[in-house]
Amino acid sequence: MPRKFTKIAFTPAVKAAQAQRGSRETYARFEQSGPENDRVTPDIEEFIAEIDGFYLGTVGSNGYPYIQFRGGHPGFLKVIDEKTLGFADFKGNVQYVTIGNLSDSDKAFIFIMDYRHRKRLKIWGRAKYVESDRELIERLRIAEDDSEVERVILFQVEAWNWNCPQHIPIRYSEQEVTALKARISELEMLLSDRENLL
């Protein structure tokens, strides 16, 4: 079976660009080999459970893409089942660009970047927002976050692809830096104590 993300991403214009630049033959073989990658795997579920942010892309009625960062406590993006992701949508700057775009077109994209481990995951799909289902809102709420939840966004997975780690700079979160500093201080104290004994 063909990899499903290539059906979405490799439009006729993309295939023409590949042919013009000499990579079409390689990608034609790539399209026909490997898994479909249209369901959430255990590895992806584990990856998603650890992330504290991602980028959500939607398309406006004028054809322009709109990208917005969504962040929260690790685990705020939840795997509902092997084809569905969901997250609580908090009250923000009340521009409602994402909501407006989803009212017009359900095509959406999730881009997850893990700088620490140099991993990035691209997920194509269709999204919708749900505002009146209190049970669903409570199911997707994170206990550690008391932010006001206005709605939930459900994302139906159509295809995914891991991107290569080339050119991803390694970055650490503030929490990771704090933990590393604490460990360095601990080791410096141990070294100092040892030197004092000698």
Side-chain angles (χ1 to χ4, degrees):
M1 291 293 255
R3 298 171 193 257
K4 289 199 175 171
F5 90 88
T6 64
K7 289 181 172 182
I8 298 169
F10 292 1
T11 63
V14 170
K15 289 178 181 179
Q18 291 170 350
Q20 186 179 18
R21 291 159 179 83
S23 65
R24 181 69 208 129
E25 189 175 311
T26 299
Y27 279 112
R29 286 192 304 273
F30 175 79
E31 286 175 345
Q32 299 306 317
S33 64
E36 290 181 290
N37 292 350
D38 64 347
R39 298 184 186 299
V40 176
T41 64
D43 286 349
I44 289 177
E45 185 167 7
E46 183 179 327
F47 178 67
I48 286 174
E50 296 173 359
I51 60 110
D52 61 0
F54 65 92
Y55 296 91
L56 177 66
T58 57
V59 182
S61 59
N62 56 9
Y64 281 95
Y66 179 73
I67 309 295
Q68 187 172 46
F69 180 78
R70 299 299 176 112
H73 290 274
F76 83 101
L77 177 62
K78 295 184 183 300
V79 175
I80 295 172
D81 60 44
E82 66 179 9
K83 293 288 284 181
T84 313
L85 307 176
F87 62 95
D89 191 30
F90 303 120
K91 187 174 179 71
N93 62 13
V94 299
Q95 289 182 353
Y96 301 118
V97 177
T98 296
I99 300 307
N101 287 351
L102 291 176
S103 298
D104 192 58
S105 170
D106 65 352
K107 289 182 179 173
F109 185 80
I110 288 178
F111 184 85
I112 305 173
M113 176 68 85
D114 177 356
Y115 289 100
R116 169 70 173 86
H117 299 101
R118 299 183 73 217
K119 290 181 176 180
R120 56 186 160 201
L121 178 64
K122 302 176 290 188
I123 309 173
W124 290 262
R126 297 189 180 265
K128 67 178 181 178
Y129 61 91
V130 179
E131 294 184 312
S132 57
D133 188 333
R134 297 309 310 169
E135 185 179 324
L136 185 58
I137 287 172
E138 289 308 314
R139 180 177 173 194
L140 294 178
R141 182 186 300 277
I142 295 291
E144 300 85 0
D145 195 333
D146 61 358
S147 301
E148 182 181 345
V149 179
E150 290 192 322
R151 69 193 58 77
V152 298
I153 294 182
L154 299 177
F155 186 97
Q156 195 72 25
V157 176
E158 291 190 347
W160 57 263
N161 186 49
W162 290 103
N163 213 188
C164 79
Q166 187 177 11
H167 306 300
I168 299 176
I170 296 176
R171 293 188 177 143
Y172 296 90
S173 70
E174 183 178 352
Q175 182 181 11
E176 289 169 325
V177 170
T178 300
L180 288 171
K181 285 181 177 178
R183 180 66 178 144
I184 289 169
S185 293
E186 180 185 328
L187 292 172
E188 286 175 340
M189 287 176 61
L190 288 172
L191 183 60
S192 176
D193 289 346
R194 184 172 181 205
E195 287 174 351
N196 289 336
L197 291 172
L198 296 177

